[in-house]
Short mmCIF file of all heavy atoms in Angstrom, two decimals:
data_model
loop_
_atom_site.label_atom_id
_atom_site.label_comp_id
_atom_site.label_asym_id
_atom_site.label_seq_id
_atom_site.Cartn_x
_atom_site.Cartn_y
_atom_site.Cartn_z
N THR A 1347 0.83 -1.18 -0.02
CA THR A 1347 -0.01 0.02 -0.01
C THR A 1347 0.86 1.24 -0.02
O THR A 1347 2.04 1.22 0.37
CB THR A 1347 -0.92 0.06 1.28
OG1 THR A 1347 -0.10 0.14 2.40
CG2 THR A 1347 -1.82 -1.20 1.28
N THR A 1348 0.28 2.34 -0.35
CA THR A 1348 1.01 3.60 -0.38
C THR A 1348 0.20 4.64 0.35
O THR A 1348 -0.98 4.46 0.66
CB THR A 1348 1.18 4.11 -1.80
OG1 THR A 1348 -0.08 4.45 -2.35
CG2 THR A 1348 1.90 3.10 -2.70
N ASN A 1349 0.84 5.71 0.70
CA ASN A 1349 0.19 6.76 1.40
C ASN A 1349 -0.70 7.64 0.51
O ASN A 1349 -1.59 8.32 0.97
CB ASN A 1349 1.20 7.72 2.11
CG ASN A 1349 1.88 6.97 3.25
OD1 ASN A 1349 1.34 6.02 3.82
ND2 ASN A 1349 3.08 7.36 3.57
N SER A 1350 -0.39 7.62 -0.79
CA SER A 1350 -1.19 8.41 -1.70
C SER A 1350 -1.49 7.60 -2.97
O SER A 1350 -0.82 7.78 -3.99
CB SER A 1350 -0.46 9.73 -2.09
OG SER A 1350 0.79 9.38 -2.57
N PRO A 1351 -2.47 6.69 -2.88
CA PRO A 1351 -2.77 5.83 -4.07
C PRO A 1351 -3.38 6.67 -5.17
O PRO A 1351 -3.94 7.70 -4.99
CB PRO A 1351 -3.74 4.83 -3.50
CG PRO A 1351 -4.44 5.51 -2.39
CD PRO A 1351 -3.34 6.44 -1.76
N VAL A 1352 -3.20 6.25 -6.41
CA VAL A 1352 -3.79 6.85 -7.53
C VAL A 1352 -4.99 5.99 -7.96
O VAL A 1352 -4.79 4.90 -8.34
CB VAL A 1352 -2.73 6.98 -8.73
CG1 VAL A 1352 -3.40 7.58 -9.94
CG2 VAL A 1352 -1.55 7.79 -8.25
N GLY A 1353 -6.14 6.61 -7.86
CA GLY A 1353 -7.34 5.90 -8.29
C GLY A 1353 -7.70 6.11 -9.77
O GLY A 1353 -7.02 6.89 -10.46
N PRO A 1354 -8.78 5.48 -10.21
CA PRO A 1354 -9.12 5.62 -11.62
C PRO A 1354 -9.49 7.01 -12.08
O PRO A 1354 -9.44 7.30 -13.25
CB PRO A 1354 -10.26 4.62 -11.84
CG PRO A 1354 -10.81 4.39 -10.42
CD PRO A 1354 -9.70 4.66 -9.48
N TYR A 1355 -9.94 7.87 -11.15
CA TYR A 1355 -10.33 9.17 -11.54
C TYR A 1355 -9.34 10.27 -10.96
O TYR A 1355 -9.65 11.40 -10.97
CB TYR A 1355 -11.71 9.45 -10.98
CG TYR A 1355 -12.75 8.47 -11.55
CD1 TYR A 1355 -13.27 7.45 -10.82
CD2 TYR A 1355 -13.04 8.46 -12.95
CE1 TYR A 1355 -14.13 6.49 -11.36
CE2 TYR A 1355 -13.89 7.54 -13.47
CZ TYR A 1355 -14.45 6.57 -12.70
OH TYR A 1355 -15.30 5.66 -13.22
N SER A 1356 -8.30 9.82 -10.38
CA SER A 1356 -7.27 10.74 -9.88
C SER A 1356 -6.54 11.40 -10.99
O SER A 1356 -6.29 10.82 -12.05
CB SER A 1356 -6.28 10.04 -8.98
OG SER A 1356 -6.90 9.46 -7.86
N PRO A 1357 -6.17 12.68 -10.84
CA PRO A 1357 -5.36 13.26 -11.91
C PRO A 1357 -4.06 12.53 -12.05
O PRO A 1357 -3.49 12.01 -11.10
CB PRO A 1357 -5.19 14.76 -11.44
CG PRO A 1357 -5.47 14.75 -9.99
CD PRO A 1357 -6.36 13.55 -9.71
N GLU A 1358 -3.49 12.58 -13.27
CA GLU A 1358 -2.25 11.99 -13.52
C GLU A 1358 -1.10 12.66 -12.77
O GLU A 1358 -1.13 13.90 -12.61
CB GLU A 1358 -1.98 12.10 -15.02
CG GLU A 1358 -0.67 11.62 -15.52
CD GLU A 1358 -0.59 11.76 -17.01
OE1 GLU A 1358 -1.19 12.68 -17.60
OE2 GLU A 1358 0.09 10.92 -17.61
N PRO A 1359 -0.18 11.91 -12.12
CA PRO A 1359 0.92 12.50 -11.43
C PRO A 1359 1.70 13.35 -12.40
O PRO A 1359 1.91 13.01 -13.55
CB PRO A 1359 1.75 11.32 -10.90
CG PRO A 1359 0.90 10.12 -11.12
CD PRO A 1359 -0.09 10.42 -12.16
N ARG A 1360 2.19 14.53 -11.90
CA ARG A 1360 2.98 15.47 -12.74
C ARG A 1360 4.41 15.30 -12.43
O ARG A 1360 4.86 15.51 -11.28
CB ARG A 1360 2.53 16.90 -12.44
CG ARG A 1360 1.05 17.05 -12.74
CD ARG A 1360 0.60 18.47 -12.59
NE ARG A 1360 0.93 19.14 -13.84
CZ ARG A 1360 0.94 20.46 -13.95
NH1 ARG A 1360 0.71 21.24 -12.91
NH2 ARG A 1360 1.30 21.00 -15.13
N PRO A 1361 5.19 14.93 -13.41
CA PRO A 1361 6.66 14.71 -13.20
C PRO A 1361 7.35 16.01 -12.99
O PRO A 1361 6.93 17.04 -13.48
CB PRO A 1361 7.08 14.03 -14.44
CG PRO A 1361 6.15 14.49 -15.54
CD PRO A 1361 4.82 14.63 -14.81
N ARG A 1362 8.48 15.99 -12.29
CA ARG A 1362 9.26 17.22 -12.05
C ARG A 1362 10.62 16.98 -12.82
O ARG A 1362 11.16 15.93 -12.84
CB ARG A 1362 9.60 17.32 -10.60
CG ARG A 1362 8.43 17.73 -9.75
CD ARG A 1362 8.84 18.01 -8.41
NE ARG A 1362 7.81 18.91 -7.83
CZ ARG A 1362 7.99 19.70 -6.83
NH1 ARG A 1362 9.17 19.71 -6.24
NH2 ARG A 1362 7.06 20.42 -6.40
N LEU A 1363 11.07 18.11 -13.33
CA LEU A 1363 12.42 18.14 -13.91
C LEU A 1363 13.47 18.37 -12.86
O LEU A 1363 13.24 19.18 -11.97
CB LEU A 1363 12.50 19.22 -14.93
CG LEU A 1363 11.90 19.03 -16.28
CD1 LEU A 1363 12.00 20.30 -17.16
CD2 LEU A 1363 12.45 17.86 -17.01
N SER A 1364 14.59 17.63 -12.98
CA SER A 1364 15.77 17.89 -12.10
C SER A 1364 16.81 18.41 -13.09
O SER A 1364 16.99 17.97 -14.17
CB SER A 1364 16.16 16.59 -11.42
OG SER A 1364 15.19 16.16 -10.59
N ILE A 1365 17.59 19.38 -12.54
CA ILE A 1365 18.65 19.97 -13.35
C ILE A 1365 19.98 19.91 -12.45
O ILE A 1365 19.91 20.34 -11.30
CB ILE A 1365 18.32 21.37 -13.76
CG1 ILE A 1365 17.02 21.35 -14.59
CG2 ILE A 1365 19.44 22.05 -14.52
CD1 ILE A 1365 16.48 22.72 -14.84
N ALA A 1366 21.04 19.44 -13.03
CA ALA A 1366 22.32 19.38 -12.31
C ALA A 1366 23.44 19.51 -13.30
O ALA A 1366 23.37 19.10 -14.46
CB ALA A 1366 22.44 18.02 -11.64
N PRO A 1367 24.59 20.14 -12.88
CA PRO A 1367 25.74 20.26 -13.73
C PRO A 1367 26.29 18.89 -14.02
O PRO A 1367 26.25 17.96 -13.17
CB PRO A 1367 26.69 21.11 -12.94
CG PRO A 1367 26.22 21.09 -11.57
CD PRO A 1367 24.78 20.74 -11.53
N ALA A 1368 26.82 18.67 -15.27
CA ALA A 1368 27.40 17.34 -15.60
C ALA A 1368 28.45 17.52 -16.66
O ALA A 1368 28.12 17.70 -17.87
CB ALA A 1368 26.33 16.39 -16.10
N ALA A 1369 29.72 17.46 -16.33
CA ALA A 1369 30.89 17.47 -17.26
C ALA A 1369 30.75 18.62 -18.27
O ALA A 1369 30.84 18.36 -19.46
CB ALA A 1369 30.96 16.14 -17.93
N GLY A 1370 30.57 19.79 -17.78
CA GLY A 1370 30.56 20.97 -18.72
C GLY A 1370 29.22 21.19 -19.37
O GLY A 1370 29.04 22.20 -20.08
N ASN A 1371 28.30 20.27 -19.20
CA ASN A 1371 26.91 20.42 -19.67
C ASN A 1371 25.96 20.49 -18.49
O ASN A 1371 26.33 20.60 -17.39
CB ASN A 1371 26.56 19.19 -20.61
CG ASN A 1371 27.35 19.18 -21.84
OD1 ASN A 1371 27.66 20.23 -22.41
ND2 ASN A 1371 27.69 18.00 -22.27
N VAL A 1372 24.70 20.41 -18.84
CA VAL A 1372 23.64 20.33 -17.82
C VAL A 1372 22.83 19.12 -18.03
O VAL A 1372 22.39 18.87 -19.15
CB VAL A 1372 22.74 21.68 -17.91
CG1 VAL A 1372 21.66 21.62 -16.87
CG2 VAL A 1372 23.59 22.92 -17.67
N ALA A 1373 22.61 18.36 -16.97
CA ALA A 1373 21.82 17.14 -17.09
C ALA A 1373 20.39 17.55 -16.63
O ALA A 1373 20.16 17.95 -15.56
CB ALA A 1373 22.34 16.05 -16.16
N VAL A 1374 19.46 17.30 -17.56
CA VAL A 1374 17.96 17.52 -17.26
C VAL A 1374 17.41 16.13 -17.15
O VAL A 1374 17.51 15.33 -18.15
CB VAL A 1374 17.37 18.38 -18.36
CG1 VAL A 1374 15.85 18.58 -18.09
CG2 VAL A 1374 18.04 19.68 -18.55
N SER A 1375 16.76 15.80 -16.05
CA SER A 1375 16.20 14.47 -15.90
C SER A 1375 14.86 14.45 -15.26
O SER A 1375 14.45 15.45 -14.65
CB SER A 1375 17.23 13.60 -15.10
OG SER A 1375 17.36 14.14 -13.82
N TRP A 1376 14.15 13.35 -15.40
CA TRP A 1376 12.86 13.13 -14.82
C TRP A 1376 12.64 11.63 -14.53
O TRP A 1376 13.32 10.79 -15.18
CB TRP A 1376 11.68 13.79 -15.58
CG TRP A 1376 11.53 13.27 -16.96
CD1 TRP A 1376 10.65 12.32 -17.43
CD2 TRP A 1376 12.20 13.68 -18.18
NE1 TRP A 1376 10.75 12.12 -18.79
CE2 TRP A 1376 11.71 12.98 -19.23
CE3 TRP A 1376 13.20 14.63 -18.42
CZ2 TRP A 1376 12.14 13.16 -20.55
CZ3 TRP A 1376 13.71 14.81 -19.69
CH2 TRP A 1376 13.16 14.06 -20.76
N LEU A 1377 11.75 11.32 -13.65
CA LEU A 1377 11.51 9.89 -13.26
C LEU A 1377 10.92 9.06 -14.40
O LEU A 1377 10.19 9.56 -15.29
CB LEU A 1377 10.62 9.83 -12.01
CG LEU A 1377 11.22 10.41 -10.74
CD1 LEU A 1377 10.20 10.35 -9.60
CD2 LEU A 1377 12.47 9.61 -10.35
N LEU A 1378 11.17 7.80 -14.34
CA LEU A 1378 10.84 6.85 -15.40
C LEU A 1378 9.32 6.74 -15.57
O LEU A 1378 8.88 6.46 -16.70
CB LEU A 1378 11.48 5.48 -15.16
CG LEU A 1378 11.43 4.52 -16.29
CD1 LEU A 1378 12.12 5.03 -17.51
CD2 LEU A 1378 12.10 3.18 -15.80
N PHE A 1379 8.53 6.91 -14.56
CA PHE A 1379 7.07 6.79 -14.69
C PHE A 1379 6.49 7.72 -15.73
O PHE A 1379 5.47 7.52 -16.31
CB PHE A 1379 6.32 6.94 -13.35
CG PHE A 1379 6.06 8.36 -12.96
CD1 PHE A 1379 4.98 9.03 -13.38
CD2 PHE A 1379 6.93 9.02 -12.13
CE1 PHE A 1379 4.76 10.36 -13.05
CE2 PHE A 1379 6.71 10.36 -11.78
CZ PHE A 1379 5.62 11.01 -12.21
N ALA A 1380 7.31 8.78 -16.02
CA ALA A 1380 6.85 9.75 -17.04
C ALA A 1380 7.52 9.63 -18.37
O ALA A 1380 7.76 10.57 -19.06
CB ALA A 1380 7.14 11.16 -16.40
N GLN A 1381 7.77 8.35 -18.75
CA GLN A 1381 8.48 8.08 -19.95
C GLN A 1381 7.69 8.50 -21.20
O GLN A 1381 8.27 8.67 -22.30
CB GLN A 1381 8.86 6.63 -20.03
CG GLN A 1381 7.67 5.68 -20.13
CD GLN A 1381 8.12 4.22 -19.99
OE1 GLN A 1381 9.26 3.89 -19.94
NE2 GLN A 1381 7.16 3.33 -19.95
N ASP A 1382 6.37 8.73 -21.06
CA ASP A 1382 5.62 9.18 -22.30
C ASP A 1382 5.64 10.72 -22.39
O ASP A 1382 4.99 11.25 -23.30
CB ASP A 1382 4.19 8.66 -22.19
CG ASP A 1382 3.49 8.99 -20.94
OD1 ASP A 1382 4.09 9.24 -19.88
OD2 ASP A 1382 2.21 9.04 -20.95
N PHE A 1383 6.32 11.37 -21.49
CA PHE A 1383 6.51 12.86 -21.66
C PHE A 1383 7.76 13.08 -22.49
O PHE A 1383 8.62 12.26 -22.57
CB PHE A 1383 6.69 13.50 -20.30
CG PHE A 1383 5.43 13.67 -19.53
CD1 PHE A 1383 4.85 12.61 -18.85
CD2 PHE A 1383 4.78 14.91 -19.46
CE1 PHE A 1383 3.71 12.79 -18.09
CE2 PHE A 1383 3.62 15.04 -18.69
CZ PHE A 1383 3.08 14.01 -18.04
N ARG A 1384 7.79 14.27 -23.10
CA ARG A 1384 8.99 14.66 -23.86
C ARG A 1384 9.49 16.08 -23.41
O ARG A 1384 8.69 16.87 -22.90
CB ARG A 1384 8.67 14.71 -25.39
CG ARG A 1384 7.68 15.72 -25.75
CD ARG A 1384 7.20 15.63 -27.19
NE ARG A 1384 6.24 16.65 -27.50
CZ ARG A 1384 4.99 16.62 -27.14
NH1 ARG A 1384 4.50 15.58 -26.51
NH2 ARG A 1384 4.15 17.61 -27.52
N LEU A 1385 10.74 16.25 -23.57
CA LEU A 1385 11.32 17.57 -23.15
C LEU A 1385 11.05 18.55 -24.22
O LEU A 1385 11.23 18.35 -25.38
CB LEU A 1385 12.84 17.42 -22.98
CG LEU A 1385 13.53 18.61 -22.39
CD1 LEU A 1385 13.08 18.87 -20.95
CD2 LEU A 1385 15.07 18.40 -22.42
N GLU A 1386 10.43 19.72 -23.80
CA GLU A 1386 10.12 20.78 -24.73
C GLU A 1386 10.98 22.02 -24.35
O GLU A 1386 11.40 22.12 -23.19
CB GLU A 1386 8.67 21.23 -24.65
CG GLU A 1386 7.75 20.08 -25.09
CD GLU A 1386 6.31 20.45 -25.05
OE1 GLU A 1386 5.93 21.38 -24.31
OE2 GLU A 1386 5.48 19.79 -25.71
N GLN A 1387 11.25 22.87 -25.30
CA GLN A 1387 12.19 23.99 -25.11
C GLN A 1387 11.52 25.25 -25.73
O GLN A 1387 10.82 25.21 -26.69
CB GLN A 1387 13.48 23.63 -25.89
CG GLN A 1387 14.53 24.70 -25.82
CD GLN A 1387 15.77 24.19 -26.50
OE1 GLN A 1387 15.84 23.13 -27.16
NE2 GLN A 1387 16.86 24.93 -26.42
N SER A 1388 11.77 26.39 -25.04
CA SER A 1388 11.35 27.69 -25.49
C SER A 1388 12.38 28.71 -25.24
O SER A 1388 13.21 28.54 -24.26
CB SER A 1388 10.07 28.05 -24.72
OG SER A 1388 9.57 29.30 -25.15
N ALA A 1389 12.45 29.71 -26.02
CA ALA A 1389 13.37 30.81 -25.76
C ALA A 1389 13.07 31.50 -24.47
O ALA A 1389 11.86 31.59 -24.08
CB ALA A 1389 13.28 31.85 -26.90
N LEU A 1390 14.07 31.82 -23.71
CA LEU A 1390 13.90 32.51 -22.43
C LEU A 1390 12.98 33.73 -22.57
O LEU A 1390 13.18 34.56 -23.45
CB LEU A 1390 15.24 32.90 -21.86
CG LEU A 1390 15.27 33.34 -20.42
CD1 LEU A 1390 14.76 32.25 -19.51
CD2 LEU A 1390 16.67 33.70 -20.00
N GLY A 1391 11.95 33.80 -21.78
CA GLY A 1391 11.00 34.93 -21.79
C GLY A 1391 9.85 34.70 -22.75
O GLY A 1391 8.90 35.45 -22.76
N SER A 1392 9.83 33.60 -23.47
CA SER A 1392 8.71 33.31 -24.43
C SER A 1392 8.00 32.03 -23.93
O SER A 1392 8.50 30.98 -24.17
CB SER A 1392 9.23 33.13 -25.88
OG SER A 1392 8.14 32.64 -26.70
N SER A 1393 6.88 32.21 -23.30
CA SER A 1393 6.16 31.01 -22.75
C SER A 1393 5.11 30.58 -23.72
O SER A 1393 4.30 29.74 -23.32
CB SER A 1393 5.62 31.32 -21.37
OG SER A 1393 4.68 32.39 -21.49
N THR A 1394 4.97 31.18 -24.89
CA THR A 1394 3.93 30.78 -25.81
C THR A 1394 4.36 29.92 -26.92
O THR A 1394 3.54 29.25 -27.54
CB THR A 1394 3.28 32.02 -26.42
OG1 THR A 1394 4.30 32.83 -27.09
CG2 THR A 1394 2.67 32.93 -25.35
N VAL A 1395 5.67 29.83 -27.24
CA VAL A 1395 6.12 29.02 -28.39
C VAL A 1395 7.04 27.96 -27.84
O VAL A 1395 8.16 28.22 -27.36
CB VAL A 1395 6.90 29.89 -29.36
CG1 VAL A 1395 7.42 29.01 -30.53
CG2 VAL A 1395 6.07 31.01 -29.89
N TRP A 1396 6.56 26.67 -27.84
CA TRP A 1396 7.33 25.58 -27.39
C TRP A 1396 7.53 24.56 -28.49
O TRP A 1396 6.69 24.39 -29.32
CB TRP A 1396 6.53 24.84 -26.23
CG TRP A 1396 6.46 25.73 -24.97
CD1 TRP A 1396 5.45 26.53 -24.66
CD2 TRP A 1396 7.43 25.70 -23.93
NE1 TRP A 1396 5.73 27.14 -23.45
CE2 TRP A 1396 6.93 26.64 -22.98
CE3 TRP A 1396 8.61 25.05 -23.68
CZ2 TRP A 1396 7.59 26.91 -21.81
CZ3 TRP A 1396 9.32 25.35 -22.51
CH2 TRP A 1396 8.76 26.30 -21.58
N SER A 1397 8.74 23.94 -28.50
CA SER A 1397 8.99 22.94 -29.51
C SER A 1397 9.72 21.79 -28.81
O SER A 1397 10.30 21.95 -27.71
CB SER A 1397 9.84 23.51 -30.64
OG SER A 1397 11.07 24.01 -30.12
N ASN A 1398 9.75 20.63 -29.46
CA ASN A 1398 10.45 19.51 -28.93
C ASN A 1398 11.96 19.81 -28.87
O ASN A 1398 12.55 20.32 -29.83
CB ASN A 1398 10.30 18.23 -29.78
CG ASN A 1398 8.90 17.71 -29.73
OD1 ASN A 1398 8.17 17.95 -28.73
ND2 ASN A 1398 8.42 16.99 -30.70
N ALA A 1399 12.59 19.56 -27.70
CA ALA A 1399 14.00 19.85 -27.50
C ALA A 1399 14.82 18.81 -28.40
O ALA A 1399 14.51 17.65 -28.39
CB ALA A 1399 14.41 19.72 -26.10
N PRO A 1400 15.81 19.30 -29.10
CA PRO A 1400 16.55 18.47 -30.05
C PRO A 1400 17.72 17.61 -29.40
O PRO A 1400 18.78 17.62 -29.87
CB PRO A 1400 17.09 19.47 -31.06
CG PRO A 1400 17.38 20.62 -30.18
CD PRO A 1400 16.25 20.68 -29.18
N TYR A 1401 17.39 17.01 -28.24
CA TYR A 1401 18.41 16.20 -27.53
C TYR A 1401 17.96 14.78 -27.48
O TYR A 1401 16.76 14.45 -27.53
CB TYR A 1401 18.60 16.79 -26.15
CG TYR A 1401 18.93 18.26 -26.14
CD1 TYR A 1401 17.98 19.23 -25.77
CD2 TYR A 1401 20.18 18.71 -26.55
CE1 TYR A 1401 18.26 20.57 -25.78
CE2 TYR A 1401 20.47 20.06 -26.56
CZ TYR A 1401 19.50 21.01 -26.19
OH TYR A 1401 19.79 22.34 -26.21
N THR A 1402 18.96 13.89 -27.29
CA THR A 1402 18.70 12.45 -27.15
C THR A 1402 18.36 12.09 -25.75
O THR A 1402 19.16 12.39 -24.84
CB THR A 1402 19.88 11.67 -27.71
OG1 THR A 1402 20.12 12.08 -29.01
CG2 THR A 1402 19.66 10.18 -27.65
N ASN A 1403 17.25 11.36 -25.50
CA ASN A 1403 16.94 10.85 -24.16
C ASN A 1403 17.74 9.59 -23.90
O ASN A 1403 17.93 8.75 -24.75
CB ASN A 1403 15.46 10.43 -24.09
CG ASN A 1403 14.54 11.66 -24.17
OD1 ASN A 1403 14.95 12.81 -24.27
ND2 ASN A 1403 13.26 11.38 -24.23
N VAL A 1404 18.30 9.54 -22.67
CA VAL A 1404 19.01 8.31 -22.22
C VAL A 1404 18.20 7.78 -21.02
O VAL A 1404 17.97 8.48 -20.05
CB VAL A 1404 20.45 8.67 -21.77
CG1 VAL A 1404 21.11 7.42 -21.22
CG2 VAL A 1404 21.18 9.18 -22.96
N THR A 1405 17.79 6.53 -21.12
CA THR A 1405 16.93 5.90 -20.04
C THR A 1405 17.82 4.99 -19.20
O THR A 1405 18.59 4.24 -19.75
CB THR A 1405 15.81 5.14 -20.69
OG1 THR A 1405 15.01 6.04 -21.55
CG2 THR A 1405 14.86 4.60 -19.57
N ASN A 1406 17.63 5.04 -17.88
CA ASN A 1406 18.29 4.07 -17.01
C ASN A 1406 17.20 3.40 -16.13
O ASN A 1406 16.04 3.55 -16.41
CB ASN A 1406 19.38 4.72 -16.22
CG ASN A 1406 18.91 5.88 -15.28
OD1 ASN A 1406 17.78 5.80 -14.84
ND2 ASN A 1406 19.71 6.87 -15.11
N ALA A 1407 17.61 2.75 -15.05
CA ALA A 1407 16.58 1.97 -14.24
C ALA A 1407 15.65 2.89 -13.55
O ALA A 1407 14.51 2.41 -13.15
CB ALA A 1407 17.37 1.14 -13.23
N THR A 1408 15.94 4.18 -13.31
CA THR A 1408 15.04 4.98 -12.50
C THR A 1408 14.55 6.19 -13.22
O THR A 1408 13.59 6.83 -12.77
CB THR A 1408 15.74 5.46 -11.22
OG1 THR A 1408 16.89 6.24 -11.59
CG2 THR A 1408 16.10 4.36 -10.30
N GLY A 1409 15.16 6.57 -14.30
CA GLY A 1409 14.70 7.82 -14.95
C GLY A 1409 15.22 8.01 -16.36
O GLY A 1409 15.80 7.12 -16.98
N ILE A 1410 14.95 9.19 -16.88
CA ILE A 1410 15.34 9.64 -18.20
C ILE A 1410 16.15 10.86 -18.05
O ILE A 1410 15.82 11.76 -17.28
CB ILE A 1410 14.06 9.92 -19.10
CG1 ILE A 1410 13.18 8.66 -19.13
CG2 ILE A 1410 14.45 10.43 -20.45
CD1 ILE A 1410 11.81 8.80 -19.60
N GLU A 1411 17.26 10.92 -18.78
CA GLU A 1411 18.18 12.07 -18.72
C GLU A 1411 18.52 12.57 -20.12
O GLU A 1411 18.66 11.81 -21.03
CB GLU A 1411 19.47 11.64 -17.93
CG GLU A 1411 20.39 12.79 -17.70
CD GLU A 1411 21.51 12.35 -16.85
OE1 GLU A 1411 21.36 11.97 -15.70
OE2 GLU A 1411 22.71 12.45 -17.31
N VAL A 1412 18.70 13.92 -20.16
CA VAL A 1412 19.08 14.55 -21.40
C VAL A 1412 20.22 15.44 -21.08
O VAL A 1412 20.20 16.16 -20.05
CB VAL A 1412 17.93 15.41 -21.95
CG1 VAL A 1412 18.36 16.19 -23.15
CG2 VAL A 1412 16.75 14.52 -22.37
N SER A 1413 21.27 15.37 -21.87
CA SER A 1413 22.44 16.31 -21.68
C SER A 1413 22.28 17.48 -22.56
O SER A 1413 22.17 17.38 -23.75
CB SER A 1413 23.72 15.50 -22.02
OG SER A 1413 24.79 16.37 -21.77
N VAL A 1414 22.25 18.66 -21.89
CA VAL A 1414 22.01 19.88 -22.64
C VAL A 1414 23.31 20.75 -22.58
O VAL A 1414 23.92 20.86 -21.46
CB VAL A 1414 20.85 20.67 -22.01
CG1 VAL A 1414 20.69 22.08 -22.69
CG2 VAL A 1414 19.56 19.88 -22.09
N ALA A 1415 23.75 21.29 -23.67
CA ALA A 1415 24.97 22.15 -23.65
C ALA A 1415 24.77 23.29 -22.73
O ALA A 1415 23.69 23.94 -22.74
CB ALA A 1415 25.24 22.60 -25.08
N ALA A 1416 25.72 23.65 -21.95
CA ALA A 1416 25.66 24.77 -21.02
C ALA A 1416 25.42 26.10 -21.79
O ALA A 1416 24.92 27.05 -21.28
CB ALA A 1416 26.85 24.86 -20.20
N SER A 1417 25.76 26.10 -23.06
CA SER A 1417 25.54 27.35 -23.87
C SER A 1417 24.10 27.52 -24.29
O SER A 1417 23.78 28.55 -24.89
CB SER A 1417 26.46 27.25 -25.15
OG SER A 1417 26.10 26.13 -25.88
N ALA A 1418 23.23 26.62 -23.89
CA ALA A 1418 21.81 26.79 -24.16
C ALA A 1418 21.18 27.62 -23.07
O ALA A 1418 20.02 27.37 -22.79
CB ALA A 1418 21.15 25.42 -24.29
N ASN A 1419 21.89 28.54 -22.52
CA ASN A 1419 21.37 29.33 -21.38
C ASN A 1419 20.21 30.29 -21.72
O ASN A 1419 19.68 30.83 -20.87
CB ASN A 1419 22.54 30.12 -20.75
CG ASN A 1419 23.21 31.08 -21.69
OD1 ASN A 1419 22.83 31.18 -22.79
ND2 ASN A 1419 24.23 31.69 -21.19
N GLY A 1420 19.90 30.38 -23.00
CA GLY A 1420 18.78 31.31 -23.33
C GLY A 1420 17.51 30.44 -23.54
O GLY A 1420 16.65 30.89 -24.27
N SER A 1421 17.42 29.30 -22.91
CA SER A 1421 16.26 28.45 -23.04
C SER A 1421 15.55 28.15 -21.76
O SER A 1421 16.21 28.12 -20.72
CB SER A 1421 16.68 27.13 -23.75
OG SER A 1421 17.21 27.36 -25.04
N THR A 1422 14.32 27.86 -21.87
CA THR A 1422 13.45 27.40 -20.78
C THR A 1422 12.96 25.99 -21.19
O THR A 1422 12.66 25.73 -22.35
CB THR A 1422 12.27 28.25 -20.56
OG1 THR A 1422 12.72 29.60 -20.33
CG2 THR A 1422 11.43 27.85 -19.39
N PHE A 1423 12.91 25.05 -20.21
CA PHE A 1423 12.49 23.67 -20.47
C PHE A 1423 11.27 23.30 -19.69
O PHE A 1423 11.09 23.84 -18.62
CB PHE A 1423 13.64 22.72 -20.22
CG PHE A 1423 14.88 22.94 -21.06
CD1 PHE A 1423 15.91 23.70 -20.63
CD2 PHE A 1423 14.96 22.33 -22.31
CE1 PHE A 1423 17.01 23.88 -21.35
CE2 PHE A 1423 16.00 22.56 -23.11
CZ PHE A 1423 17.08 23.31 -22.66
N ARG A 1424 10.47 22.41 -20.21
CA ARG A 1424 9.38 21.83 -19.56
C ARG A 1424 9.06 20.45 -20.12
O ARG A 1424 9.61 20.08 -21.15
CB ARG A 1424 8.10 22.71 -19.63
CG ARG A 1424 7.47 22.62 -21.07
CD ARG A 1424 6.20 23.41 -21.10
NE ARG A 1424 5.55 23.24 -22.45
CZ ARG A 1424 4.52 23.90 -22.84
NH1 ARG A 1424 3.96 24.80 -22.04
NH2 ARG A 1424 3.99 23.67 -23.99
N LEU A 1425 8.20 19.67 -19.48
CA LEU A 1425 7.82 18.37 -19.94
C LEU A 1425 6.44 18.53 -20.59
O LEU A 1425 5.53 19.16 -20.02
CB LEU A 1425 7.74 17.29 -18.84
CG LEU A 1425 9.12 16.88 -18.36
CD1 LEU A 1425 9.04 15.92 -17.14
CD2 LEU A 1425 9.95 16.26 -19.48
N GLY A 1426 6.20 17.88 -21.71
CA GLY A 1426 4.89 17.95 -22.41
C GLY A 1426 4.60 16.59 -22.99
O GLY A 1426 5.43 15.66 -23.00
N LYS A 1427 3.36 16.46 -23.39
CA LYS A 1427 2.93 15.19 -24.05
C LYS A 1427 2.63 15.38 -25.49
O LYS A 1427 2.30 16.39 -25.92
CB LYS A 1427 1.73 14.65 -23.27
CG LYS A 1427 2.04 13.90 -22.08
CD LYS A 1427 0.90 13.08 -21.61
CE LYS A 1427 1.26 12.10 -20.56
NZ LYS A 1427 0.30 11.25 -20.17
#
């Protein structure tokens, strides 16, 4: 049992992005239960135009990780379906 079960009419859990430095880049990751989500990218300050981020997803036992160049500092990221 769990402390917060998800029932048939419960809203879908919302995954969170984690961001951490990684070998000169930035690692953006999220938990594996959200494998049907994709990383989306927008120019900093523009929350109306989103596109699929052009990075390769790497999946491991617990999550999904994308390595983003640190020079992409003019971007905002989110998860979308």
Side-chain angles (χ1 to χ4, degrees):
T1347 64
T1348 65
N1349 292 336
S1350 57
V1352 176
Y1355 302 108
S1356 298
E1358 177 177 32
R1360 301 184 84 195
R1362 290 188 159 202
L1363 283 177
S1364 296
I1365 301 171
N1371 291 325
V1372 177
V1374 179
S1375 61
W1376 59 97
L1377 293 176
L1378 192 57
F1379 82 86
Q1381 63 189 357
D1382 56 336
F1383 283 78
R1384 66 188 179 283
L1385 188 64
E1386 295 180 342
Q1387 181 176 5
S1388 179
L1390 191 60
S1392 173
S1393 62
T1394 58
V1395 180
W1396 292 91
S1397 59
N1398 291 336
Y1401 305 105
T1402 302
N1403 294 354
V1404 176
T1405 305
N1406 61 33
T1408 60
I1410 300 165
E1411 184 174 299
V1412 174
S1413 181
V1414 177
S1417 61
N1419 59 2
S1421 297
T1422 304
F1423 296 96
R1424 73 177 186 185
L1425 290 176
K1427 280 196 166 184

